[in-house]
Amino acid sequence: MITVTKKIEKYIKDNHNGRLDGAIGSSLGSSFVGQLVQRENVHIDHAIFGSPDLDQSGKVAAKLQSMLVVPLLTSFTKGQKKRNKTKEKLKSFFQMSEETAEKFMNCFSKFDPISIRNEYYTDLLTHLKDDISVEHTKAHFIYANKMGEKYLKRYKKYFHDPEIREFDMQHEQWLFGEKEYAEPVLKAIDEFMDAPV
């Protein structure tokens, strides 16, 4: 996580004079946005978090979780029967169209299990401080309320006075669901970017 965060910081410094109007991350991407804000090596006016989980744990728990989760994340594209079953679950759970579910499956089948394990493991170990507050930076959260209130509590724990917009959806459903989920979130992102910092 930190290795990649440093690469992102270098890119922002080299190409944007170390400053961005806004950065958005969803799921694992939110961890990178959080690290960029926390580390203060670059400046972001609007840090936007798209329905993140912001999970954190110790080494033993992270190792166990990655051992359990990675096979689940990588096995569902193996074999046509598993693939079809997973595609139907994606369509039902996220209300994806057939085309979107197929694209998701094709994309996920290309991921290297070792890379997924390493990212998942180091994400759990790369902690955010409590009550992060950076001058002229505003943290904005897209809260997918079907994830549960414990995530809402995390957003308030890690960031000082975050702006939180609640949506009736699952984790990342705004990315994978249809327009009815994406359009209100995109509107909120536009409003986040127009807010004073």
Side-chain angles (χ1 to χ4, degrees):
M1 287 298 296
I2 296 302
T3 301
V4 173
T5 301
K6 287 177 179 176
K7 289 179 182 178
I8 296 168
E9 288 170 341
K10 182 179 182 327
Y11 180 86
I12 294 168
K13 288 175 183 174
D14 292 349
N15 295 281
H16 301 284
N17 298 315
R19 184 176 194 94
L20 296 177
D21 293 335
I24 186 169
S26 192
S27 197
L28 178 65
S30 291
S31 295
F32 290 114
V33 173
Q35 288 300 319
L36 292 171
V37 172
Q38 175 176 270
R39 289 163 55 87
E40 296 188 61
N41 292 324
V42 296
H43 183 81
I44 300 168
D45 288 340
H46 298 280
I48 304 170
F49 298 81
S51 66
D53 53 41
L54 301 180
D55 285 335
Q56 298 179 169
S57 71
K59 286 186 177 182
V60 174
K63 189 161 187 103
L64 289 172
Q65 285 181 58
S66 55
M67 287 171 61
L68 292 170
V69 170
V70 172
L72 292 173
L73 291 176
T74 57
S75 68
F76 67 78
T77 60
K78 308 234 182 339
Q80 198 59 42
K81 189 175 179 180
K82 268 191 178 179
R83 187 179 173 93
N84 289 341
K85 188 175 180 180
T86 303
K87 189 167 30 168
E88 290 308 311
K89 284 184 179 179
L90 289 172
K91 287 164 56 179
S92 170
F93 188 76
F94 288 107
Q95 297 182 345
M96 288 183 186
S97 68
E98 175 77 24
E99 180 184 1
T100 303
E102 187 60 37
K103 286 179 183 176
F104 181 89
M105 298 290 290
N106 287 338
C107 178
F108 225 91
S109 68
K110 296 174 186 171
F111 293 158
D112 177 11
I114 294 169
S115 293
I116 293 172
R117 185 193 67 218
N118 291 343
E119 287 291 339
Y120 188 84
Y121 175 73
T122 60
D123 180 41
L124 291 171
L125 296 178
T126 309
H127 293 200
L128 292 171
K129 297 180 289 188
D130 290 356
D131 202 37
I132 297 167
S133 179
V134 175
E135 192 173 358
H136 300 297
T137 295
K138 184 68 178 174
H140 310 273
F141 283 85
I142 295 155
Y143 168 47
N145 63 16
K146 290 184 179 173
M147 290 173 65
E149 282 192 27
K150 73 177 183 179
Y151 297 100
L152 180 62
K153 289 176 184 172
R154 286 181 191 173
Y155 308 160
K156 294 176 182 177
K157 175 184 175 189
Y158 297 134
F159 288 89
H160 181 77
D161 191 30
E163 179 179 2
I164 300 169
R165 299 276 181 99
E166 182 174 344
F167 295 89
D168 186 27
M169 61 183 180
Q170 301 285 355
H171 174 63
E172 293 196 301
Q173 193 165 7
W174 68 282
L175 290 174
F176 304 121
E178 298 307 309
K179 285 183 181 181
E180 67 187 275
Y181 297 102
E183 288 177 351
V185 172
L186 292 173
K187 182 177 183 289
I189 291 169
D190 286 342
E191 291 167 1
F192 292 157
M193 292 298 295
D194 287 337
V197 291

